[in-house]
Amino acid sequence: MSKSNKSQKKIVIPCSGIGKAFGSVSREATYLLTEELNPREYRTMCLPLLVVDDEEAIKMMHSSEIFTIDGCPKQCATVSVRKSGGAIKKAILVAKVLAANKDHKPGTVLDIGEGGRLLAQDIVNKITAEEGD
Amino acid sequence: MSFKPKVGIISCSGEDCTGGNISREATLKALHELRPNETVTICLPLFLAGDEGERSFAKTFPTITVDGCNKLCAAISTARFSSDPSVKINVEDYAECISLNPKEKWRIGESATVVEHIAEEIARQVDRLREEWE
């Protein structure tokens, strides 16, 4: 697999699903990476901007490497990016990451708990390990 | 006894601004604490992903959109993919986004009072919409 183009910004877009704990985990993982662990290389973008065809957001998406994190198999973040013409570097499904780390089960949408925070870290590891960051 | 519908609440949950997190937290508070039996939530991205269940609910029943900024993504998307929301709430009517601490897009701190105000407004509007439903 080729390494990233270091000059390109990396954008992480979670689904932020509001009905399930996995949606909150997708959000937690995004902020863990973009706010705490590596804000210099990674940032996030409002997913709803793609839903309303915001020109600035779409332009930024086209000039960046995109990582999506989806809470459920409907994969709204991934579908939205694709419908807006974005190329996804990696699409992560929270349930699949949990399957490989079964002890890291999240709590609720309101409080993902320690398990949810560990799961968020697993997701971040999955992104950064493959990127070599 | 007359039928009183549940009200759909659609939050923008915008990831890149504190207003988005305020919209999400206020929506969750209304859904889980203030009016748990009178409301349902609808995932905004599901509108674009094409989920017919989400679209048809919002065509039939009253909805409240809660947006974090003046771009009004939740209100616009709901109107585009389903029908006009019954009520449109904009966080910027309660707090200037530029004055909000950007760190709070992850975890709410000093904006907790804004979250409270908006959650209470959502609850008030839920009661009104259910009362006026025919």
Side-chain angles (χ1 to χ4, degrees):
Chain A
M1 182 179 290
S2 64
K3 288 282 183 188
S4 304
N5 177 353
K6 290 287 181 189
S7 65
Q8 231 177 351
K9 196 77 181 173
K10 299 170 182 177
I11 298 181
V12 184
I13 305 180
C15 75
S16 290
I18 199 167
K20 295 184 178 76
F22 283 180
S24 294
V25 172
S26 75
R27 207 171 160 92
E28 180 74 10
T30 299
Y31 292 130
L32 184 59
L33 182 55
T34 63
E35 292 290 307
E36 193 172 295
L37 298 176
N38 197 346
R40 284 187 49 176
E41 283 194 56
Y42 293 89
R43 61 163 299 176
T44 189
M45 193 175 93
C46 288
L47 176 61
L49 287 175
L50 300 182
V51 182
V52 296
D53 304 323
D54 183 270
E55 282 181 20
E56 197 182 331
I58 290 172
K59 193 175 166 189
M60 188 166 76
M61 188 184 66
H62 283 303
S63 62
S64 309
E65 293 183 337
I66 307 292
F67 299 82
T68 55
I69 308 174
D70 280 298
C72 83
K74 291 189 174 176
Q75 295 189 276
C76 294
T78 301
V79 170
S80 300
V81 169
R82 286 197 178 127
K83 280 195 176 180
S84 301
I88 296 169
K89 183 92 186 285
K90 185 155 194 64
I92 291 176
L93 188 57
V94 176
K96 275 194 177 174
V97 181
L98 176 62
N101 305 272
K102 290 195 172 72
D103 293 341
H104 299 171
K105 195 173 175 190
T108 67
V109 67
L110 293 172
D111 179 10
I112 60 172
E114 187 57 19
R117 283 185 284 278
L118 290 169
L119 186 57
Q121 180 67 63
D122 295 333
I123 292 166
V124 168
N125 293 346
K126 208 168 163 53
I127 294 172
T128 55
E130 290 182 26
E131 287 295 291
D133 296 330
Chain B
M1 194 169 67
S2 62
F3 169 73
K4 299 286 183 196
K6 291 201 176 196
V7 176
I9 308 181
I10 305 159
S11 153
C12 82
S13 295
E15 290 82 2
D16 202 24
C17 77
T18 297
N21 199 20
I22 291 172
S23 78
R24 180 181 176 86
E25 291 292 322
T27 296
L28 285 169
K29 191 173 182 61
L31 284 166
H32 292 273
E33 292 177 28
L34 303 182
R35 296 295 183 273
N37 299 316
E38 294 85 10
T39 54
V40 293
T41 187
I42 296 173
C43 268
L44 178 62
L46 270 177
F47 276 127
L48 184 66
D51 188 277
E52 276 310 312
E54 312 281 313
R55 290 182 182 185
S56 61
F57 178 92
K59 277 178 190 161
T60 312
F61 296 110
T63 54
I64 297 172
T65 52
V66 189
D67 276 294
C69 77
N70 288 332
K71 292 203 170 186
L72 301 176
C73 297
I76 291 169
S77 306
T78 303
R80 183 184 295 177
F81 296 109
S82 190
S83 62
D84 275 334
S86 313
V87 175
K88 301 171 192 172
I89 291 174
N90 180 0
V91 171
E92 293 218 44
D93 292 337
Y94 296 78
E96 276 189 47
C97 274
I98 200 150
S99 69
L100 296 170
N101 180 351
K103 286 285 169 197
E104 290 187 77
K105 66 183 175 186
W106 189 359
R107 293 198 178 97
I108 296 295
E110 58 200 26
S111 301
T113 51
V114 181
V115 171
E116 289 282 338
H117 286 149
I118 295 174
E120 285 163 10
E121 177 60 15
I122 294 170
R124 264 193 299 276
Q125 294 293 345
V126 167
D127 294 343
R128 183 183 66 78
L129 290 168
R130 283 167 51 84
E131 193 56 42
E132 292 173 0
W133 180 265
E134 290 177 3

